[in-house]
């Protein structure tokens, strides 16, 4: 945390040093005095270069100070963020070998009249204990206090009880921030690192209704994106449409039967739900139709022109319906459905094979992820890929090709296990390191149909 008072002190120190050096140089530049002092020119040169360095340093510090000042005007400070930064600094300095030590800042308890408190000492003591080091939390808190940087934010910090550190804010600092707030209104906090979050939301399925779960995902997802953009991040909104898979076989076969000239005359399939149900009835009752539906899937997956045309027609009908909702909510989202990742999937499976992460069970190729009892199904026994394969391809694409450093999936909580497995598998494969990037599922309840069964 750069702090104006620290920077100012540095600047003053450097100024004083420069003045001293300038005096010295003045003496040295006077040949008489220099001679009297018995100084030879290489040393003068050295001083000159030191002086130049100091000048550079002081300009740099001045620029930082100016930056801090304007930053104050444009951004609002996050008090909790500042406390977290300062304590984080002290804690990491005290325990350089602890990986991700907790900072554990909480609002203060009213009885203590403290504004905030840091409870990290208790957690750190537990962490050390598990490594066979016995220390009491109070000593830990004292040690953290020793490494606390000098700042303008606190009136008082004190260790109390078993090892809490009570935090009392500097009132004039808080008052300053309050008047900033009153004068300038709510502004985004300053972000040190601009992130590239990729938010997967909405993601309905073609030929099925966009149900309340997709609607909630759309609203929550869009809100998250707007908030992240307001703060200053560079957000990519992605619609992971369910636009690929075996259901397209029966839809295409049914389209071919009902509207054989679909390639030239646009078929009236506005009511896609009805169309879907009709084809499903045929699929379940007519063996001949079922066989054709399977053949149609294979042709679609081989990108045969006529089948791609039929697939696009069907997707377009759904797109028109989805767009009505997006327009009404003011949502602009990039469509990147499961089909987008289809061509990447063979390579993904190959990579997992090469890393010895897959196994074949009952003709299916699966992958177990650490800590998960249910595997991902990567290749079905008929050779087709799945929802899991598309998500594996998508996560890699988002982390590497899109350079996302914060992936957010806004999907109902019913898919929580799916995402746990996915994130664990991505770690195992070496694509995702939680210390470097952030990948998370934002769940929001389970969507049940009228029969109380989860709907997809
Ligand atoms: N289409 C899916 C469903 O309706 C949601 C997809 C969510 N995103 C993802 N990357 N899996 O359940």
């Amino acid at each position: 945390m750069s702090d104006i008072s620290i920077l100012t002190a540095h600047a003053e120190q450097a100024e004083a040093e420069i003045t001293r050096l300038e005096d010295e140089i003045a003496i040295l530049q006077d040949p008489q005095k220099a001679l009297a002092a018995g100084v030879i020119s290489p040393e003068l040169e050295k001083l000159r270069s030191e002086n130049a360095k100091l000048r550079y340093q002081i300009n740099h510090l001045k620029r930082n100070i100016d930056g801090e000042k304007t930053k104050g005007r444009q951004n609002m400070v996050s008090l909790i963020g500042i406390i977290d930064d300062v304590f984080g600094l002290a804690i990491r300095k005290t325990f350089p070998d602890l990986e991700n030590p907790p900072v554990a800042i909480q609002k203060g308890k009213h009885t203590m009249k403290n504004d905030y408190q840091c409870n990290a000492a208790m957690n750190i003591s537990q962490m050390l204990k598990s490594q066979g080091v016995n220390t009491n939390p109070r000593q830990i808190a004292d040690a953290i206090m020793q490494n606390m940087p000098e700042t303008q934010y606190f009136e008082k910090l004190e260790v109390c009880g078993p090892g809490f550190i009570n935090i009392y804010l500097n009132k004039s600092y808080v008052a300053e921030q309050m008047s900033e707030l009153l004068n300038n209104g709510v502004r985004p906090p300053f972000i040190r690192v601009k992130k590239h979050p990729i938010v997967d939301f909405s993601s309905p399925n073609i030929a099925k209704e966009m149900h309340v779960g997709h609607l909630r995902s759309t609203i929550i997802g869009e809100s998250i994106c707007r908030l992240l953009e307001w703060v200053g991040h560079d957000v990519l909104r992605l619609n992971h449409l369910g636009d690929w898979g075996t259901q397209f076989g029966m839809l295409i076969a049914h389209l071919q039967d009902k509207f054989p000239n679909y390639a030239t005359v646009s078929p009236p399939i506005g009511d896609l739900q009805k169309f879907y149900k009709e084809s499903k009835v045929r699929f379940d009752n007519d063996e001949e139709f079922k066989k054709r539906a399977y053949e149609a899937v294979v042709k679609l997956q081989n990108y045969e022109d006529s089948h791609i045309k039929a697939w696009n027609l069907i997707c377009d009908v759904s797109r028109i319906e989805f767009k009505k909702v997006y327009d009404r909510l003011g949502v602009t989202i990039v469509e990147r459905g499961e089909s987008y990742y289809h061509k990447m999937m063979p390579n993904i499976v190959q990579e997992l094979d090469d890393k010895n992460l897959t196994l074949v069970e009952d003709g299916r190729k699966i992958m177990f992820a650490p800590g998960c009892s249910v595997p991902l199904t990567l290749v079905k026994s008929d050779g087709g890929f799945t929802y899991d394969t598309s998500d594996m391809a998508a996560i890699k694409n988002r982390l590497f090709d899109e350079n996302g450093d914060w992936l957010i999936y806004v999907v109902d909580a019913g898919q929580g296990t799916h995402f746990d497995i996915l994130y664990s598998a991505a770690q195992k494969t070496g694509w995702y390191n939680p210390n470097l990037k952030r990948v998370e599922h934002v769940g929001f309840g389970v969507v049940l149909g009228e029969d109380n069964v989860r709907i997809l």
Side-chain angles (χ1 to χ4, degrees):
M1 161 77 12
S2 43
D3 176 337
I4 298 181
S5 62
I6 296 177
L7 288 174
T8 314
H10 274 294
E12 278 167 5
Q13 235 175 25
E15 287 272 20
E17 183 69 356
I18 284 199
T19 318
R20 191 185 64 75
L21 284 169
E22 276 172 348
D23 288 349
E24 239 168 75
I25 287 169
I27 298 173
L28 295 171
Q29 277 174 335
D30 181 333
Q32 293 272 296
K33 286 184 191 162
L35 217 67
V39 181
I40 43 159
S41 69
E43 239 168 287
L44 180 65
E45 259 326 293
K46 200 172 141 219
L47 281 171
R48 262 198 230 284
S49 90
E50 261 170 33
N51 193 13
K53 272 189 219 152
L54 278 169
R55 269 191 200 288
Y56 171 82
Q57 231 177 337
I58 201 156
N59 280 335
H60 185 70
L61 287 170
K62 277 185 178 152
R63 266 202 308 275
N64 272 356
I65 292 171
D66 289 345
E68 287 278 333
K69 282 184 187 151
T70 47
K71 206 167 70 191
R73 253 175 264 127
Q74 290 158 358
N75 301 101
M76 218 163 84
V77 299
S78 153
L79 266 184
I80 195 98
I82 287 177
I83 302 174
D84 224 74
D85 280 342
V86 174
F87 275 74
L89 217 74
I91 291 172
R92 283 192 298 276
K93 199 164 164 204
T94 316
F95 300 100
D97 298 331
L98 270 191
E99 203 177 316
N100 284 329
V103 182
I105 304 296
Q106 266 183 14
K107 272 193 78 180
K109 300 253 183 307
H110 285 303
T111 47
M112 301 297 300
K113 300 214 175 349
N114 53 345
D115 297 303
Y116 292 93
Q117 61 189 57
C118 166
N119 300 347
M122 279 50 86
N123 299 337
I124 292 173
S125 157
Q126 289 295 324
M127 281 173 97
L128 291 174
K129 202 170 187 176
S130 71
Q131 297 175 5
V133 183
N134 268 331
T135 38
N136 79 48
R138 200 148 172 131
Q139 284 171 340
I140 293 176
D142 285 334
I144 294 172
M145 287 290 280
Q146 292 299 315
N147 287 317
M148 197 63 66
E150 191 72 37
T151 72
Q152 56 170 330
Y153 309 120
F154 311 123
E155 184 180 288
K156 186 170 68 169
L157 297 174
E158 68 187 7
V159 177
C160 85
F164 302 109
I165 303 176
N166 282 335
I167 302 166
Y168 299 85
L169 294 173
N170 174 353
K171 293 193 181 54
S172 61
Y173 177 74
V174 175
E176 207 178 285
Q177 296 309 318
M178 288 299 288
S179 73
E180 282 269 338
L181 179 62
L182 290 171
N183 288 330
N184 301 319
V186 176
R187 287 147 303 139
F190 173 68
I191 49 164
R192 251 160 297 159
V193 187
K194 182 170 169 166
K195 291 205 181 279
H196 181 36
I198 299 182
V199 188
D200 173 322
F201 69 98
S202 194
S203 311
N205 302 311
I206 299 285
K208 292 191 198 164
E209 205 167 13
M210 181 193 229
H211 62 58
V212 64
H214 300 123
L215 199 57
R216 285 178 78 184
S217 165
T218 310
I219 294 166
I220 298 169
E222 175 64 23
S223 308
I224 292 175
C225 293
R226 289 184 191 183
L227 193 66
L228 291 174
E229 270 168 352
W230 181 71
V231 168
H233 297 299
D234 169 25
V235 179
L236 174 62
R237 294 160 164 80
L238 290 185
N239 199 353
H240 196 80
L241 278 189
D243 65 354
W244 202 249
T246 41
Q247 80 270 27
F248 282 95
M250 63 182 198
L251 288 168
I252 293 171
H254 191 50
L255 185 73
Q256 288 168 335
D257 290 349
K258 273 197 92 171
F259 307 102
N261 55 352
Y262 68 87
T264 47
V265 182
S266 185
I269 47 168
D271 190 349
L272 208 50
Q273 296 266 343
K274 192 167 143 243
F275 190 81
Y276 183 91
K277 281 184 190 144
E278 280 169 16
S279 62
K280 181 84 170 87
V281 171
R282 291 185 70 191
F283 185 83
D284 291 339
N285 300 305
D286 178 346
E287 276 309 308
E288 165 63 17
F289 179 79
K290 197 173 192 163
K291 203 170 140 245
R292 283 192 31 236
Y294 280 130
E295 283 163 12
V297 177
V298 176
K299 288 183 179 156
L300 175 67
Q301 300 202 333
N302 288 330
Y303 296 93
E304 271 194 27
D305 265 3
S306 61
H307 286 64
I308 288 287
K309 166 106 192 165
W311 171 71
N312 263 323
L313 275 172
I314 295 165
C315 290
D316 279 345
V317 179
S318 283
R319 275 188 196 111
I320 292 169
E321 291 308 308
F322 299 155
K323 190 170 178 301
K324 286 184 194 158
V325 177
Y326 298 144
D327 284 351
R328 199 155 165 199
L329 295 172
V331 169
T332 47
I333 186 167
V334 177
E335 182 187 318
R336 221 176 256 183
E338 292 170 29
S339 64
Y340 178 86
Y341 303 98
H342 189 250
K343 284 191 174 148
M344 304 170 195
M345 294 185 200
N347 286 338
I348 293 289
V349 176
Q350 185 64 50
E351 177 175 349
L352 299 172
D353 281 343
D354 293 346
K355 290 181 171 166
N356 281 326
L357 297 170
T358 57
L359 55 124
V360 176
E361 203 181 79
D362 298 332
R364 297 175 316 145
K365 185 167 280 181
I366 58 174
M367 167 178 179
F368 277 101
C372 308
S373 52
V374 181
L376 290 175
T377 299
L378 300 166
V379 188
K380 290 186 293 185
S381 49
D382 65 5
F385 299 121
T386 72
Y387 183 57
D388 294 349
T389 335
S390 85
D391 260 328
M392 282 298 271
I395 201 168
K396 184 174 183 201
N397 176 261
R398 291 170 192 179
L399 288 170
F400 293 92
D401 304 322
E402 288 299 338
N403 256 319
D405 47 17
W406 187 359
L407 308 189
I408 300 174
Y409 294 72
V410 188
V411 188
D412 85 71
Q415 295 199 37
T417 315
H418 167 74
F419 289 109
D420 287 346
I421 305 172
L422 177 69
Y423 303 158
S424 168
Q427 274 190 64
K428 177 80 189 160
T429 313
W431 297 335
Y432 159 47
N433 175 350
N435 292 327
L436 303 177
K437 294 195 171 190
R438 204 168 151 177
V439 176
E440 55 208 354
H441 172 212
V442 174
F444 52 79
V446 179
V447 181
L448 301 178
E450 281 165 22
D451 51 2
N452 260 358
V453 174
R454 199 182 133 221
I455 45 174
L456 286 174

